[in-house]
Amino acid sequence: MNRLGAVYGLLWGMVALAVLKSLGGDFLRMTGWYLLGSIPTGILVTRLLAGRLGKTKAWKVWTYGPLALLIGTLTFAACMLVVVAGVEFTQSLAWRGVTESLQGLRFHDSLILFFWFPFFGFVTIVPIFLAVGNCWDLRRRMMTASSCP
């Protein structure tokens, strides 16, 4: 389950990078950080929804897709908050002490991601359909896994 979630997360990290690139963002600078933040996101969302999707009817997958996208974008924002704070802290250690580096962390810039990531996920429309497809695939895998002895 963790490997499947990590693969889903990496693929969603590529989707996030594509959205960033379409908005004119710094694609190369953010690639590693986005992919790093996407792995725990994929694992968490997969674990949260796997049991429910395995028991749901096929038509309800359409309702789980937007929910999964919202949970995923908020979780991704939380992961990116941690990643950015870790990078800032590490860079600050070069010229400050540990206490000063912790006090110098600026979360305000990263907190806005809790608004922007879901906003861009839903406004660009394509991620909604990708989330539904992702839920459909996860449901199919859970149905197959539950039918095996």
Side-chain angles (χ1 to χ4, degrees), residues 72-100:
T73 53
L74 292 174
T75 304
F76 185 63
C79 288
M80 291 308 295
L81 178 77
V82 170
V83 167
V84 169
V87 169
E88 283 183 10
F89 175 76
T90 305
Q91 289 174 344
S92 180
L93 283 176
W95 51 280
R96 289 176 153 173
V98 173
T99 305
E100 293 85 11

Side-chain angles (χ1 to χ4, degrees), residues 21 24 39 42 52 72 77 81 89 99 108 112 116:
K21 180 69 174 169
I39 293 171
R52 295 180 190 271
L81 178 77
F89 175 76
T99 305
H108 177 268
I112 195 72
W116 285 116

